Coordinates of all heavy atoms in Angstrom, one line a residue:
E1020 N 2.6 12.4 -10.3 CA 2.8 12.1 -11.7 C 1.4 11.5 -12.3 O 1.0 12.0 -13.4 CB 3.8 11.0 -11.9 CG 4.5 11.0 -13.3 CD 5.5 9.9 -13.4 OE1 6.5 9.9 -12.5 OE2 5.5 9.1 -14.3
A1021 N 0.8 10.7 -11.5 CA -0.5 10.1 -12.0 C -1.5 11.2 -12.0 O -2.3 11.3 -13.0 CB -0.9 9.0 -11.0
I1022 N -1.5 12.1 -11.0 CA -2.5 13.2 -11.0 C -2.3 14.1 -12.3 O -3.3 14.4 -13.0 CB -2.4 14.1 -9.8 CG1 -2.9 13.3 -8.5 CG2 -3.2 15.4 -9.9 CD1 -2.6 13.9 -7.2
D1023 N -1.0 14.4 -12.5 CA -0.6 15.3 -13.7 C -1.0 14.6 -15.0 O -1.2 15.3 -16.0 CB 0.8 15.6 -13.6 CG 1.2 16.5 -12.4 OD1 0.3 17.1 -11.8 OD2 2.4 16.5 -12.1
S1024 N -1.0 13.3 -15.0 CA -1.3 12.5 -16.3 C -2.8 12.4 -16.4 O -3.3 11.8 -17.4 CB -0.7 11.1 -16.2 OG 0.7 11.2 -16.0
G1025 N -3.6 12.9 -15.5 CA -5.1 12.9 -15.7 C -5.7 11.6 -15.1 O -6.9 11.4 -15.4
V1026 N -5.0 10.8 -14.4 CA -5.6 9.6 -13.8 C -6.6 10.1 -12.7 O -6.2 11.0 -11.9 CB -4.5 8.6 -13.3 CG1 -5.2 7.3 -12.7 CG2 -3.5 8.3 -14.3
S1027 N -7.7 9.5 -12.6 CA -8.7 9.9 -11.6 C -8.2 9.5 -10.2 O -7.5 8.6 -10.0 CB -10.1 9.3 -11.8 OG -10.1 7.9 -11.3
A1028 N -8.6 10.3 -9.2 CA -8.3 10.1 -7.8 C -8.7 8.7 -7.3 O -7.9 8.0 -6.6 CB -8.9 11.1 -6.9
Q1029 N -9.9 8.2 -7.8 CA -10.4 6.9 -7.4 C -9.5 5.8 -7.9 O -9.2 4.8 -7.2 CB -11.8 6.7 -7.9 CG -12.5 5.5 -7.5 CD -13.0 5.6 -6.0 OE1 -14.0 6.3 -5.9 NE2 -12.5 4.8 -5.1
E1030 N -9.1 6.0 -9.2 CA -8.1 4.9 -9.8 C -6.8 5.0 -9.1 O -6.3 3.8 -8.8 CB -7.9 5.3 -11.2 CG -9.0 5.0 -12.2 CD -8.7 5.3 -13.7 OE1 -8.7 6.5 -13.9 OE2 -8.4 4.4 -14.4
I1031 N -6.3 6.1 -8.7 CA -5.0 6.2 -8.0 C -5.1 5.5 -6.6 O -4.3 4.7 -6.2 CB -4.5 7.6 -7.9 CG1 -4.3 8.2 -9.3 CG2 -3.2 7.7 -7.0 CD1 -4.0 9.7 -9.3
L1032 N -6.2 5.8 -6.0 CA -6.5 5.2 -4.7 C -6.6 3.7 -4.7 O -5.9 3.0 -4.0 CB -7.8 5.9 -4.0 CG -8.1 5.5 -2.6 CD1 -6.9 6.1 -1.6 CD2 -9.4 6.0 -2.2
D1033 N -7.6 3.3 -5.6 CA -7.9 1.8 -5.6 C -6.7 1.0 -6.3 O -6.4 0.0 -5.7 CB -9.2 1.6 -6.4 CG -10.4 2.2 -5.6 OD1 -10.3 2.4 -4.4 OD2 -11.5 2.4 -6.2
G1034 N -6.3 1.4 -7.4 CA -5.4 0.7 -8.2 C -4.0 0.8 -7.9 O -3.1 0.0 -8.3
G1035 N -3.6 1.8 -7.1 CA -2.3 2.1 -6.6 C -2.1 1.9 -5.2 O -1.5 0.9 -4.7
L1036 N -2.6 2.9 -4.4 CA -2.3 2.9 -2.9 C -3.0 1.7 -2.2 O -2.3 1.0 -1.4 CB -2.8 4.3 -2.3 CG -2.1 5.5 -2.9 CD1 -2.8 6.8 -2.4 CD2 -0.6 5.5 -2.4
L1037 N -4.3 1.6 -2.3 CA -5.0 0.6 -1.6 C -4.6 -0.9 -2.1 O -4.6 -1.8 -1.2 CB -6.5 0.7 -1.7 CG -7.0 2.1 -1.1 CD1 -8.6 2.1 -1.0 CD2 -6.4 2.4 0.3
K1038 N -4.3 -1.0 -3.3 CA -3.9 -2.3 -3.8 C -2.6 -2.7 -3.2 O -2.4 -3.9 -2.7 CB -3.7 -2.2 -5.4 CG -3.2 -3.5 -6.0 CD -3.3 -3.4 -7.5 CE -2.9 -4.7 -8.2 NZ -1.5 -4.9 -8.3
G1039 N -1.7 -1.8 -3.1 CA -0.4 -2.1 -2.5 C -0.5 -2.4 -1.0 O 0.0 -3.4 -0.5
M1040 N -1.3 -1.7 -0.3 CA -1.5 -1.9 1.2 C -2.2 -3.2 1.3 O -2.0 -3.9 2.3 CB -2.3 -0.7 1.8 CG -2.1 -0.6 3.3 SD -0.4 -0.2 3.8 CE -0.4 -0.8 5.4
G1041 N -3.2 -3.6 0.5 CA -3.9 -4.8 0.6 C -3.0 -6.0 0.4 O -3.1 -6.9 1.2
E1042 N -2.0 -5.9 -0.5 CA -1.1 -7.0 -0.7 C -0.1 -7.1 0.5 O 0.2 -8.3 0.8 CB -0.3 -6.7 -2.0 CG -1.1 -7.0 -3.3 CD -0.5 -6.4 -4.6 OE1 0.7 -6.1 -4.5 OE2 -1.2 -6.5 -5.6
I1043 N 0.3 -6.0 1.1 CA 1.1 -6.0 2.3 C 0.3 -6.8 3.4 O 0.8 -7.6 4.1 CB 1.5 -4.6 2.8 CG1 2.7 -4.2 1.9 CG2 1.8 -4.5 4.2 CD1 4.0 -4.7 2.4
G1044 N -1.0 -6.5 3.5 CA -1.9 -7.1 4.5 C -1.9 -8.6 4.3 O -1.8 -9.4 5.3
V1045 N -2.0 -9.1 3.1 CA -2.0 -10.5 2.8 C -0.6 -11.1 3.2 O -0.6 -12.2 3.9 CB -2.3 -10.8 1.3 CG1 -2.1 -12.3 1.0 CG2 -3.7 -10.4 1.0
Q1046 N 0.4 -10.5 2.8 CA 1.8 -11.0 3.2 C 1.9 -11.0 4.7 O 2.6 -11.9 5.2 CB 2.8 -10.1 2.6 CG 2.9 -10.2 1.0 CD 4.0 -9.2 0.4 OE1 4.0 -8.0 0.8 NE2 4.8 -9.7 -0.4
F1047 N 1.4 -10.0 5.4 CA 1.5 -9.9 6.8 C 0.8 -11.1 7.4 O 1.3 -11.7 8.4 CB 1.0 -8.6 7.3 CG 1.0 -8.4 8.8 CD1 2.2 -8.3 9.5 CD2 -0.2 -8.2 9.6 CE1 2.3 -8.1 10.9 CE2 -0.1 -8.0 10.9 CZ 1.1 -8.0 11.6
K1048 N -0.4 -11.4 7.0 CA -1.2 -12.5 7.5 C -0.5 -13.8 7.3 O -0.6 -14.7 8.1 CB -2.6 -12.5 6.7 CG -3.7 -13.3 7.4 CD -5.0 -13.1 6.6 CE -6.0 -14.1 7.1 NZ -7.2 -13.9 6.4
N1049 N 0.3 -13.9 6.2 CA 0.9 -15.2 5.9 C 2.4 -15.2 6.4 O 3.2 -16.1 6.1 CB 1.0 -15.3 4.3 CG -0.3 -15.6 3.7 OD1 -1.3 -16.0 4.3 ND2 -0.5 -15.2 2.4
N1050 N 2.7 -14.3 7.3 CA 4.0 -14.2 7.9 C 5.1 -14.0 7.0 O 6.3 -14.5 7.2 CB 4.3 -15.4 8.9 CG 3.4 -15.4 10.0 OD1 3.1 -14.4 10.7 ND2 2.8 -16.6 10.4
E1051 N 4.8 -13.4 5.8 CA 5.9 -13.2 4.8 C 6.6 -11.8 5.1 O 7.7 -11.6 4.6 CB 5.3 -13.2 3.4 CG 4.8 -14.6 3.0 CD 3.9 -14.6 1.8 OE1 3.8 -13.5 1.2 OE2 3.3 -15.6 1.5
V1052 N 5.9 -10.8 5.7 CA 6.4 -9.6 6.2 C 6.0 -9.4 7.6 O 5.1 -10.1 8.1 CB 6.0 -8.3 5.3 CG1 6.4 -8.5 3.9 CG2 4.5 -8.1 5.4
Y1053 N 6.6 -8.5 8.3 CA 6.4 -8.3 9.7 C 6.0 -6.9 10.1 O 6.0 -6.0 9.2 CB 7.6 -8.8 10.6 CG 7.9 -10.3 10.3 CD1 8.8 -10.7 9.3 CD2 7.1 -11.3 10.9 CE1 9.0 -12.0 9.0 CE2 7.3 -12.6 10.6 CZ 8.2 -13.0 9.6 OH 8.4 -14.3 9.3
V1054 N 5.9 -6.6 11.3 CA 5.4 -5.3 11.8 C 6.2 -4.1 11.2 O 5.6 -3.2 10.6 CB 5.3 -5.2 13.3 CG1 5.0 -3.7 13.8 CG2 4.2 -6.1 13.9
P1055 N 7.6 -4.1 11.2 CA 8.3 -3.0 10.6 C 8.0 -2.7 9.2 O 7.8 -1.5 8.8 CB 9.8 -3.4 10.8 CG 9.8 -4.4 11.8 CD 8.4 -5.2 11.7
E1056 N 7.8 -3.7 8.3 CA 7.4 -3.6 6.9 C 6.1 -2.9 6.8 O 5.8 -2.1 5.9 CB 7.5 -4.9 6.2 CG 8.9 -5.4 6.0 CD 9.4 -6.4 7.0 OE1 8.8 -6.4 8.2 OE2 10.3 -7.2 6.7
V1057 N 5.1 -3.4 7.7 CA 3.8 -2.9 7.6 C 3.8 -1.3 8.0 O 3.2 -0.5 7.4 CB 2.8 -3.6 8.6 CG1 1.4 -2.9 8.6 CG2 2.7 -5.1 8.2
L1058 N 4.6 -1.0 9.0 CA 4.7 0.4 9.4 C 5.2 1.3 8.3 O 4.8 2.3 8.1 CB 5.5 0.5 10.6 CG 5.0 -0.1 11.9 CD1 6.0 -0.1 13.1 CD2 3.7 0.5 12.4
I1059 N 6.3 0.9 7.7 CA 6.9 1.7 6.6 C 6.0 1.8 5.4 O 5.9 2.8 4.7 CB 8.3 1.4 6.2 CG1 8.5 0.0 5.7 CG2 9.3 1.6 7.3 CD1 9.9 -0.3 5.0
A1060 N 5.3 0.7 5.1 CA 4.3 0.7 4.0 C 3.1 1.7 4.3 O 2.7 2.5 3.5 CB 3.7 -0.7 3.7
A1061 N 2.7 1.7 5.6 CA 1.6 2.5 6.0 C 2.0 4.0 6.0 O 1.3 4.9 5.6 CB 1.2 2.2 7.4
R1062 N 3.3 4.3 6.3 CA 3.9 5.6 6.2 C 3.8 6.1 4.7 O 3.4 7.3 4.4 CB 5.2 5.7 6.7 CG 5.8 7.2 6.9 CD 7.2 7.1 7.5 NE 8.1 6.5 6.6 CZ 9.3 6.1 7.0 NH1 9.7 6.2 8.2 NH2 10.2 5.5 6.1
A1063 N 4.2 5.2 3.9 CA 4.2 5.6 2.4 C 2.7 5.8 1.9 O 2.5 6.7 1.1 CB 4.8 4.4 1.6
L1064 N 1.8 4.9 2.5 CA 0.4 5.1 2.1 C -0.1 6.6 2.5 O -0.7 7.3 1.8 CB -0.5 4.1 2.8 CG -2.0 4.3 2.8 CD1 -2.5 4.0 1.3 CD2 -2.7 3.4 3.8
N1065 N 0.3 6.9 3.8 CA -0.2 8.2 4.3 C 0.4 9.4 3.5 O -0.3 10.3 3.2 CB 0.3 8.4 5.8 CG -0.5 7.5 6.7 OD1 -1.6 7.1 6.3 ND2 0.1 7.2 7.8
K1066 N 1.7 9.3 3.0 CA 2.3 10.3 2.1 C 1.6 10.4 0.8 O 1.3 11.5 0.3 CB 3.8 10.0 1.9 CG 4.7 10.2 3.1 CD 4.7 11.6 3.6 CE 5.7 11.8 4.8 NZ 5.6 13.2 5.3

């Protein structure tokens, strides 16, 4: 949808995908989420 709306690949990567994964990383470090949550987030990142 973002691609179709003309959002640049860099913006989608940085502001969407990597931002989300970065926040999961912080939560993981703080023991707010655990390995299973990281794994499913990583799968979503890959998709």
Side-chain angles (χ1 to χ4, degrees):
E1020 201 179 310
I1022 291 169
D1023 296 342
S1024 302
V1026 183
S1027 76
Q1029 188 79 66
E1030 283 179 284
I1031 297 167
L1032 186 67
D1033 293 343
L1036 296 170
L1037 299 189
K1038 180 172 180 280
M1040 201 65 202
E1042 287 170 7
I1043 279 282
V1045 171
Q1046 290 178 315
F1047 180 64
K1048 196 174 171 183
N1049 295 334
N1050 294 319
E1051 292 164 13
V1052 298
Y1053 300 97
V1054 172
E1056 288 93 339
V1057 175
L1058 293 175
I1059 60 166
R1062 190 180 63 194
L1064 171 72
N1065 289 338
K1066 289 293 184 187

